[in-house]
Amino acid sequence: MYIPQFSYGLSRPYPYKWFPWAVLLGGLVAVALFSVLNFAANGYDLGAQSTTDPNGTEAQTSWTAAPIFALLHRVGPSCQPQDIPVNTEFYTSKLSRPYTLTNIWRRTAGDAPVAVLPSLAYKNNTLENCSVGLVQVDLESTQRTAMQQGYTEWGAKATALATCSVANGAEPTSFNLTTSYEFVGPLIGTGQTDSFLQLDNQSRASLWWGQSLLSWYWLNLVSATAYANNAEQSPYNYPLSQATLTFQSTNISDLNSLDFFHVGWHFLLSDGTFILTNSYNLSTAAASSTWPNIWTPAAAFAKVFYSVILADLGEAHGGNILDDPALLQSYTDFHNLTNNASAVETPWLQAGPARASYDELAPSLGPLAITPSTIYAQYFCQVPVVKAGGTLFVTILVADLVFVQALWHILHWATTAWLERHDKQANYCPGCLETDMKEASGDMVAARLLDKNGDARWPREKAVRYSEEELGHAVPSSEGAI
């Protein structure tokens, strides 16, 4: 049976004194370079992170994202969009009023019908083209809880319908949302009035004023309603029990005008009589002192609520009390309210936080401004995280060994090929090369000729000079010696 023979390769030093230094220094540079490349390619794992700013998280980059590492940068931060179903309650990034998403739709290209959607795919898009289509104010007295009536005889609950859109694909997605406000709500027994989630009189001064105006003008409206119902003679012979006022925007942009809204009302008298008016000019109702004469304070409260919603949604176009210093000054002259709201205040029910006019407080507050808003949400993100020290060391070490070994084989092959091309004895082992040189030297000595005097001499035609490299190829000539 044939048994294959194993063999081993012979080696000899490279004939260049500079070669070891070149390999050593080049190897160190290669190891450093490979370590950097391997760290960029394999030094990170993806970790979970929760954030309210996915755009900022995804924009974060490290040195491994440089163009030179473009082919190696395998991981980067990424965040999942939020899916917000219909009837979800949320805040905007201003953290002021809560909103409920009521319906969502997207217009399609051409004559295709509007697509109604069950949820909003959202990823921190800026709210755009927001508008308030309706403000409804419900006035109630005995229908409220005993605790509420203990604070104010009448109460008012304002509800608004707004529409916004977000850039979401080829066509923007539009949606309706509602929000409400009731300064003295059902939970007043806990000592809490309806207030904004967060207040900042420096970076969000406009909304700080917005909460102040809402509380002051809410108290002003319920005080006016109680006065009108008790002091004025009802043309229907029975006092008011409940009322609903609906304010709809007109094409008038001047918030000082009473006709900024069209008003409709539904009155329920104490005897059960129901009175309805679909639409009416506020200026006409106020001028004629139509019973109950609450039109001016009701319109003022509706304008304040309207302005607060647009400021919270980040809609800076159009009129707004909260970014107009002159208009805000007129609305914060609380001592000139139609009905003195301070008369309704108690030590346990205080309007505010502003207790003075805009001109008085402006030097200590931030500037009035309405900035873009987004829907406040928590996003789940995956971000690159550097591996643990031990794992990182082993990962880079193993990868470096693979690269260095490959580089050494390439260098060895290239250098050997170059030597074989320029040196015919490149494949001779050191011992063989030394033996050949000795034999060639002996043969050259024996090849000398004797002249007629018996002296040794070289044949004239053979008198040539041989280099050490050529000795290995010398032809022996001992048989021809004379």
Side-chain angles (χ1 to χ4, degrees), residues 185-223:
L187 297 179
I188 188 64
T190 64
Q192 287 187 322
T193 57
D194 193 346
S195 59
F196 293 1
L197 189 63
Q198 286 188 6
L199 284 177
D200 187 337
N201 60 14
Q202 297 300 318
S203 62
R204 293 197 293 268
S206 290
L207 286 168
W208 185 85
W209 283 109
Q211 173 164 315
S212 302
L213 291 180
L214 276 177
S215 58
W216 279 106
Y217 280 86
W218 188 93
L219 291 173
N220 186 61
L221 174 58
V222 298
S223 175

Side-chain angles (χ1 to χ4, degrees), residues 149-368:
Q149 294 182 62
Y151 280 87
T152 58
E153 180 183 352
W154 280 79
K157 182 177 181 179
T159 304
L161 173 67
T163 302
C164 291
S165 65
V166 292
N168 198 350
E171 295 292 333
T173 301
S174 302
F175 51 91
N176 288 337
L177 43 91
T178 59
T179 185
S180 61
Y181 177 82
E182 186 176 14
F183 185 52
V184 178
L187 297 179
I188 188 64
T190 64
Q192 287 187 322
T193 57
D194 193 346
S195 59
F196 293 1
L197 189 63
Q198 286 188 6
L199 284 177
D200 187 337
N201 60 14
Q202 297 300 318
S203 62
R204 293 197 293 268
S206 290
L207 286 168
W208 185 85
W209 283 109
Q211 173 164 315
S212 302
L213 291 180
L214 276 177
S215 58
W216 279 106
Y217 280 86
W218 188 93
L219 291 173
N220 186 61
L221 174 58
V222 298
S223 175
T225 304
Y227 176 83
N229 199 45
N230 296 330
E232 296 179 6
Q233 177 63 40
S234 168
Y236 307 102
N237 299 321
Y238 290 95
L240 192 65
S241 176
Q242 287 179 279
T244 297
L245 308 178
T246 56
F247 299 88
Q248 291 182 303
S249 300
T250 64
N251 56 1
I252 297 175
S253 58
D254 182 10
L255 280 164
N256 280 316
S257 173
L258 273 176
D259 291 327
F260 181 80
F261 289 120
H262 276 307
V263 63
W265 63 79
H266 300 70
F267 292 158
L268 180 63
L269 304 182
S270 60
D271 69 338
T273 303
F274 184 74
I275 302 171
L276 166 66
T277 298
N278 290 325
S279 181
Y280 208 72
N281 288 331
L282 270 170
S283 58
T284 303
S288 60
S289 298
T290 302
W291 182 89
N293 190 15
I294 56 174
W295 311 112
T296 299
F301 174 69
K303 291 175 185 178
V304 168
F305 194 37
Y306 169 93
S307 297
V308 166
I309 295 170
L310 289 183
D312 193 21
L313 296 176
E315 185 57 55
H317 298 90
N320 196 305
I321 299 170
L322 303 179
D323 68 348
D324 186 332
L327 195 56
L328 183 57
Q329 170 58 27
S330 68
Y331 270 78
T332 54
D333 190 1
F334 301 123
H335 297 292
N336 293 329
L337 293 177
T338 305
N339 295 273
N340 193 355
S342 60
V344 187
E345 286 188 305
T346 68
W348 305 276
L349 183 64
Q350 296 285 310
R355 307 288 299 178
S357 69
Y358 171 74
D359 287 346
E360 295 177 76
L361 299 179
S364 61
L365 304 178
L368 301 179

Side-chain angles (χ1 to χ4, degrees), residues 128-142:
E128 301 175 350
N129 305 315
C130 294
S131 61
V132 177
L134 174 73
V135 174
Q136 177 177 304
V137 180
D138 294 308
L139 298 167
E140 294 180 336
S141 178
T142 57

